[in-house]
Amino acid sequence: MKVVLLGPPGAGKGTQAKRLEEQRGLKQLSTGDMLRAAVAAGTALGRQAKKVMESGRLVRDDLIVAMIAERIKEPDCAKGFVLDGFPRTVQQAEALDAMLKESGKGGIDRVIELAVDEPALIQRIAGRFACSKCGTGYHDKFKQTKTAGVCDCCGSTEFVRRPDDRAEAVAVRLEAYRKQTAPILPYYRARGLLKTVDGMASAEDVAHQIDQVLDEG
Ligand code: AP5
């Protein structure tokens, strides 16, 4: 199965994509994570993307499309995947359709929009942090570590916050979503693929709503 999770910054795409990978074996393909890995590794792509990402703007379509086109050919995508943060423009959505058609693997099965109010998005992003050793994500209010200051998964006491989670960059990211990404919704609605779930609910409840959409047949 090939699933797209759509939603504004902080809507919970990464949280739900990770769960779908763990519970359903759908490979999580997060373009944000791939770009952050490229930045950390200092690759040519990472050098091009770094400043753009920190400002909150979108990285160029051609760079992103080339990255995903290579990634979906990998064997770990053979059983299906969940796209988290891609596509983000109508051009990317069209390129995705074209690459899937070319690969002969069939098109996207479901597109799920996580609908969340802007004040809640800002609260979720402002409180987010991650373990700097194993990458496990936490939130100051919604997902705290069991022992204060210690990662539940690896015991590390070092944590990081994303540079693009600063208030100025968040405003730019929300604007990019409204102007460049939201137009994808009618694109998928017209193809009968789009379902919207209430992303304001708890992470467990959102997971339940997504499961219902995926099991609808
Ligand atoms: P990316 O990494 O994709 O960031 P984003 O879309 O802004 O999304 P986030 O990672 O901020 O949020 P999320 O929806 O995954 O929420 P999460 O689960 O973490 O992109 C970063 C940048 O890379 C872009 O700005 C752009 O520059 C570039 N880029 C990436 N893809 C691109 C593309 N295709 N084209 C061009 N450029 C691209 O949850 C957020 C927080 O809320 C967490 O703390 C979590 O614990 C908490 N939470 C989650 N669910 C709930 C819930 N239901 N209730 C309460 N709290 C919750």
Side-chain angles (χ1 to χ4, degrees):
M1 182 174 252
K2 296 178 281 304
V3 178
V4 171
L5 288 185
L6 270 182
K13 303 181 294 296
T15 301
Q16 298 299 332
K18 192 170 278 303
R19 185 193 66 85
L20 288 172
E21 178 173 275
E22 286 162 6
Q23 295 183 358
R24 294 187 179 239
L26 300 175
K27 187 69 194 164
Q28 177 189 10
L29 299 181
S30 159
T31 43
D33 286 349
M34 290 178 209
L35 289 167
R36 282 184 284 279
V39 171
T43 64
L45 171 64
R47 288 195 298 278
Q48 279 181 281
K50 186 172 188 289
K51 277 208 175 117
V52 180
M53 291 174 77
E54 283 178 2
S55 72
R57 286 175 290 123
L58 294 185
V59 175
R60 261 174 32 208
D61 285 337
D62 58 326
L63 298 176
I64 299 288
V65 167
M67 183 174 81
I68 280 288
E70 283 310 303
R71 188 62 188 85
I72 63 171
K73 290 181 194 157
E74 297 291 324
D76 59 356
C77 293
K79 285 191 188 146
F81 49 80
V82 49
L83 288 162
D84 155 14
F86 178 89
R88 244 176 163 103
T89 62
V90 172
Q91 287 79 1
Q92 291 182 16
E94 288 168 348
L96 174 63
D97 284 347
M99 73 178 81
L100 290 176
K101 195 169 178 191
E102 195 183 319
S103 74
K105 285 182 186 158
I108 290 293
D109 299 288
R110 293 276 187 282
V111 178
I112 302 176
E113 178 199 14
L114 307 181
V116 181
D117 294 352
E118 272 199 19
L121 295 172
I122 291 167
Q123 192 187 23
R124 287 185 189 180
I125 292 172
R128 172 169 55 185
F129 61 99
C131 172
S132 52
K133 194 168 163 207
C134 72
T136 300
Y138 297 98
H139 190 278
D140 293 328
K141 187 171 168 199
F142 304 123
K143 191 184 167 209
Q144 297 167 337
T145 55
K146 289 187 185 119
T147 306
V150 182
C151 176
D152 297 350
C153 291
C154 73
S156 167
T157 54
E158 306 275 323
F159 296 90
V160 282
R161 290 185 190 256
R162 275 171 43 178
D164 61 344
D165 282 350
R166 289 170 299 109
E168 316 84 77
V170 171
V172 176
R173 286 162 64 197
L174 289 170
E175 180 73 359
Y177 182 78
R178 279 184 233 110
K179 287 207 170 135
Q180 293 171 271
T181 307
I184 299 180
L185 298 171
Y187 177 90
Y188 283 124
R189 193 175 292 118
R191 286 158 179 74
L193 293 172
L194 182 70
K195 295 276 178 183
T196 299
V197 302
D198 175 15
M200 294 291 288
S202 69
E204 294 69 31
D205 192 67
V206 176
H208 180 65
Q209 295 179 61
I210 290 174
D211 284 341
Q212 281 185 322
V213 170
L214 296 183
D215 293 337
E216 253 166 22

